[in-house]
Every structure is written in C-alpha cells, then in structure tokens.
Amino acid sequence: MTIERPTGATNPRLKCVRIEVGADARSYVSGDRRVTLVPLTIKRRQNRKLLIPPPRESMPQSGGLDEPMIKMLGKAFYWQRLLDEGRYATATELARALRHEPGWVAEVLRLTLLAPDIVEAILDGRQPRHLNLQTLRGRHELLPRDWNEQREVLGFPPMKI
C-alpha cells in the first residue's frame, strides 16, 4: 500500500494518494513527494474487503504495533482513493454503498488528514503510549488540521525544520 502526499502543495487538489499491495514496509522521498509503503493485503470475504496486516515476524519488533489503528488507517486511505477516483461522489454515498453510518465513515476519512510522520510512526509502532484509536478518530475532540498542532495534541515531538 502506498500513501503519497506532496510536501509543499498549496492546492489541496494536488494531493495524490496511491494504494498498492507491497511486500515490505518502507518510506522514501521522491522529488517533492513523501512515499510510504505499507504491506497490507486486501482480500475479499463474502461481500466485504478485509485488510490483513503482514505476520508479526516480518514487522519490526518495537512492541508498539496497534493492529486496529493500522487497519483503520489502511481503510481510511482506501476509502479516500475510492472518492478521489470518482467511484463515489460523496462520503455519504460511500457510506450507503458500504452499509455504514455516514458519521462513522467521516470519522475514518479524517485519518487521511494526519501528518505523514504521524502515520509513519503508527505504522512502525512508535506512537505515544497514550494514543488510541478513539483519540485518533476525534471522538471526544476533533483533531486540528495543522500538522504541527496535531503533533502537539497527540504527544509527538515537534517537526524539526
């Protein structure tokens, strides 16, 4: 799975999200874009799509992996891709097609607004211990859109320039 976002884009329409199934997790910068590859497998079970993380032995042994958070991030970027490609015009239409509540789909889609380094930290299991899925989805308090404010609210160190 590949998540791409331009680092200095001022136009939000220039954001590019590409999801691919990869064999290993890695991150790199290509031109003005930061690319993060996440090794998730998407499988069909009856009428649903399941996101299956790789076996634990292939992931770095940091002890902080939170599979529900990783699956939710994968789901968020997959749904965002469906919207970007025009398969569904709105999040409400997507929710109706997936048979989910529109509010819950909106909560999950907000995860695509997280700073790229926060997403990478979660995928690597380096997130702060107090960070949980409920906080990340903004159940109690909406997360700010500014990446520096997100880092401060979620307990990540400020980004060095």
Side-chain angles (χ1 to χ4, degrees):
M1 170 185 251
T2 306
I3 302 168
E4 291 187 14
R5 285 186 182 219
T7 53
T10 56
N11 185 349
R13 293 188 176 268
L14 295 179
K15 291 182 181 175
C16 175
V17 176
R18 188 178 71 207
I19 299 176
E20 297 175 358
V21 177
D24 58 338
R26 59 191 168 105
S27 178
Y28 60 92
V29 176
S30 173
D32 64 341
R33 296 185 176 179
R34 176 183 213 90
V35 180
T36 302
L37 297 168
V38 182
L40 289 176
T41 305
I42 300 174
K43 289 190 176 182
R44 279 193 173 270
R45 293 258 167 89
Q46 297 170 348
N47 289 333
R48 297 179 8 194
K49 291 181 183 169
L50 294 176
L51 298 173
I52 301 170
R56 285 214 180 257
E57 55 269 2
S58 68
M59 294 292 277
Q61 297 297 323
S62 61
L65 291 177
D66 189 337
E67 284 189 27
M69 252 195 282
I70 293 171
K71 285 181 180 181
M72 195 64 63
L73 280 169
K75 191 178 292 188
F77 281 99
Y78 175 70
W79 289 354
Q80 186 63 49
R81 183 182 80 177
L82 294 177
L83 291 171
D84 291 343
E85 290 176 348
R87 292 188 193 177
Y88 300 100
T90 64
T92 305
E93 188 180 316
L94 174 68
R96 193 174 300 126
L98 296 172
R99 295 185 180 133
H100 291 307
E101 288 291 322
W104 186 77
V105 171
E107 274 182 25
V108 174
L109 284 171
R110 276 196 299 265
L111 294 178
T112 61
L113 301 175
L114 287 172
D117 57 312
I118 294 175
V119 173
E120 287 177 19
I122 291 169
L123 296 174
D124 291 340
R126 295 181 286 113
Q127 73 274 8
R129 185 168 224 156
H130 69 277
L131 185 61
N132 60 29
L133 195 51
Q134 197 169 18
T135 305
L136 203 60
R137 286 192 348 224
R139 275 282 170 100
H140 300 296
E141 187 176 324
L142 288 178
L143 288 175
R145 289 190 179 205
D146 181 62
W147 290 349
N148 290 324
E149 290 177 29
Q150 285 178 5
R151 288 182 194 96
E152 185 179 321
V153 168
L154 296 176
F156 285 88
M159 191 70 162
K160 296 176 183 172
I161 299 175

